[in-house]
Amino acid sequence: GVQTCALPISSSPAPLEQVSEAPSVPPAPPADDAERRQLTVLFCDLVGSTALSNSLDPEITRDIIMRYQDICAGLVARFEGFLARFMGDGILVYFGYPRAHEDEAERAVRAGLELVRAVDQLHTPTGEPLSARVGIATGIVVVGDLIGTGAAQEKAVVGDAPNLAARLQGLAEPGQVLVADATRLLLGAGFELAWLGTREVRGVDRPVELYAVTGERTTDSRFEARRQGELMALVGRDQELALLRDRWHQAVASEGQMVLLIGEAGIGKSRITRALMDALANESHTRIIYQCSPYQTDSALYPVIEHLRRACQFGAQHDEATRLDKLETLVASGSSDVESDAALFAALLGLDGVHRYGALDMTPQQQRHRQQVAIQALLAHARRCQHHLQLDAQRIRGFQSFSDRFVR
């Protein structure tokens, strides 16, 4: 069996047997109180909406705009942004108000990429494709002052970020997401960016460096993706690290262990995990990283899907046939039925394997069960090859359904 222990990580080191209570949530400020905050602002616009209005019946145009707005509202909610305003075919979104997260810039960019992809799937009744463009900027603002009256009342945001985001949107090509330099610095290495040079932007008193986001970058962990420069020394965590090493040595002695690191965002859970990795660098073992995501809580298999993509080393330049070849190479290392298991994994990864393997002749429930069996077989193969297996499951939110299926 697998033994489990919880390791709470607090800002002030405490005895390990004490589990600290969850920090109390500070009361929300009064509704009309202004606040100074760092905000990441997203501005999205539907390309060519004026031409649509001139060429289509107003009711058809209204239906198109409403579908576009529904898509925007759903994606903004998924990434926990605040949809501040619809402006016809444009939307203004705040990330960092009223609720703050540790990764507002990343949330905004992910939302922007999903927005342009989703709008690309829309078409007019005559079959003409639609597209959107997105501008994203980050800066210090004052937010919260009430302006307007009645139904038109809203909270104003004072600062450069909203204006800059709107200007960047105007400079973007259809289907493109542009970010300013301040936002880029917050993204780390998690996205592929193309530098577009420096531009004078109306309403901004300094030249602005422009970057186009071309996609997400495959990384082993989000901690490494966000880290910039050298790691700071780990201070005051000797007791926690000693417990982790003790549990590792018990696992090596054939006593399976699972440790749950608990702590507030940004307190250093990933840093302690990295310190354990460094401490075990000279010991023979296989490390498998499963990363849960706050954006994919409805998919228990998302950590497995991302692990398979990293293990296959998929790149943006790889076509479907190349990806299937890489998948077969990975599956061949631990499967006795490569073609059958590759077909199951291809379906899991969203690859079109029908032309190579044929259609999967099974119900969705049977397919899900077979996929789980194939995943467990790969884990067992990794365990046989290296004897000692370290599973690193990051971001506990959404982890329970995944761990119930694969860890225990």
Side-chain angles (χ1 to χ4, degrees):
V2 176
Q3 300 179 19
T4 305
C5 76
L7 176 54
I9 307 298
S10 63
S11 55
S12 56
L16 291 178
E17 62 271 13
Q18 296 181 359
V19 179
S20 57
E21 297 181 357
S24 59
V25 179
D32 58 351
D33 277 1
E35 300 178 58
R36 181 183 178 90
R37 288 200 180 198
Q38 176 168 287
L39 211 63
T40 296
V41 180
L42 179 150
F43 200 101
C44 178
D45 180 67
L46 183 64
V47 177
S49 59
T50 303
L52 285 177
S53 300
N54 293 333
S55 61
L56 298 175
D57 183 86
E59 290 190 3
I60 296 177
T61 303
R62 171 184 172 276
D63 290 342
I64 292 173
I65 296 295
M66 288 188 66
R67 278 191 293 154
Y68 159 74
Q69 291 180 343
D70 287 344
I71 288 173
C72 293
L75 286 171
V76 169
R78 175 181 161 192
F79 292 98
E80 299 185 0
F82 176 67
L83 209 165
R85 192 188 313 166
F86 281 118
M87 295 170 284
D89 60 345
I91 64 165
L92 178 64
V93 182
Y94 303 150
F95 290 88
Y97 179 87
R99 181 179 177 184
H101 304 85
E102 62 176 335
D103 55 352
E104 303 296 359
E106 179 182 339
R107 288 173 181 267
V109 170
R110 289 181 182 275
L113 291 172
E114 291 290 337
L115 279 170
V116 296
R117 290 184 193 126
V119 175
D120 280 347
Q121 304 303 312
L122 294 178
H123 294 81
T124 68
T126 58
E128 297 177 26
L130 300 176
S131 60
R133 53 192 177 199
V134 173
I136 299 173
T138 303
I140 300 297
V141 303
V142 174
V143 59
D145 286 322
L146 292 174
I147 60 172
T149 58
Q153 192 175 71
E154 62 180 81
K155 292 188 176 183
V157 171
V158 179
D160 290 338
N163 175 61
L164 180 55
R167 300 301 181 195
L168 292 181
Q169 174 273 134
L171 295 172
E173 298 293 332
Q176 191 175 55
V177 177
L178 288 188
V179 301
D181 192 49
T183 304
R184 176 192 66 86
L185 292 174
L186 297 173
L187 296 177
F191 296 90
E192 298 285 351
L193 301 171
W195 184 62
L196 302 182
T198 302
R199 297 281 294 273
E200 296 286 343
V201 177
R202 185 160 60 92
V204 180
D205 59 3
R206 63 190 183 284
V208 177
E209 289 193 49
L210 302 183
Y211 295 84
V213 184
T214 58
E216 295 182 47
R217 180 175 292 162
T218 301
T219 56
D220 285 341
S221 73
R222 291 187 181 87
F223 176 71
E224 297 298 332
R226 292 176 183 168
R227 182 171 65 86
Q228 298 182 14
E230 296 296 323
L231 280 173
M232 299 292 289
L234 190 64
V235 178
R237 298 299 184 190
D238 294 343
Q239 198 173 12
E240 290 93 336
L241 190 56
L243 176 61
L244 290 174
R245 296 201 63 175
D246 177 68
R247 292 295 187 268
W248 169 255
H249 291 141
Q250 291 183 45
V252 170
S254 300
E255 298 180 22
Q257 302 289 318
M258 182 166 68
V259 180
L260 174 63
L261 296 179
I262 304 172
E264 298 176 61
I267 204 167
K269 301 183 294 296
S270 296
R271 181 65 184 89
I272 291 176
T273 304
R274 172 59 187 269
L276 177 64
M277 289 169 48
D278 294 341
L280 302 179
N282 295 325
E283 298 189 31
S284 177
H285 68 282
T286 296
R287 180 172 185 249
I288 298 177
I289 301 175
Y290 288 125
Q291 298 185 97
C292 300
S293 170
Y295 324 122
Q296 304 288 344
T297 54
D298 58 345
S299 174
L301 293 180
Y302 174 78
V304 175
I305 294 170
E306 285 302 295
H307 167 69
L308 289 173
R309 286 174 176 161
R310 292 194 305 273
C312 292
Q313 298 182 330
F314 289 163
Q317 73 278 14
H318 295 141
D319 59 18
E320 192 121 314
T322 303
R323 294 186 180 213
L324 288 173
D325 291 341
K326 287 177 169 288
L327 176 61
E328 287 183 6
T329 301
L330 174 70
V331 172
S333 66
S335 172
S336 59
D337 189 348
V338 175
E339 186 170 307
S340 177
D341 286 348
L344 291 166
F345 285 134
L348 186 64
L349 294 170
L351 300 176
D352 183 8
V354 174
H355 67 284
R356 183 177 296 195
Y357 311 115
L360 292 171
D361 186 18
M362 60 187 74
T363 66
Q365 293 79 8
Q366 290 172 330
Q367 179 176 318
R368 186 160 53 247
H369 173 72
R370 290 279 304 278
Q371 286 170 338
Q372 292 178 22
V373 171
I375 292 165
Q376 290 165 349
L378 279 182
L379 287 175
H381 174 72
R383 171 69 175 84
R384 288 193 300 270
C385 288
Q386 285 290 340
H387 305 297
H388 306 138
L389 183 65
Q390 179 189 2
L391 286 177
D392 183 356
Q394 302 179 0
R395 282 186 173 270
I396 191 63
R397 186 176 176 182
F399 177 66
Q400 182 173 355
S401 58
F402 164 72
S403 64
D404 287 345
R405 297 187 186 190
F406 298 107
V407 177
R408 297 184 188 280

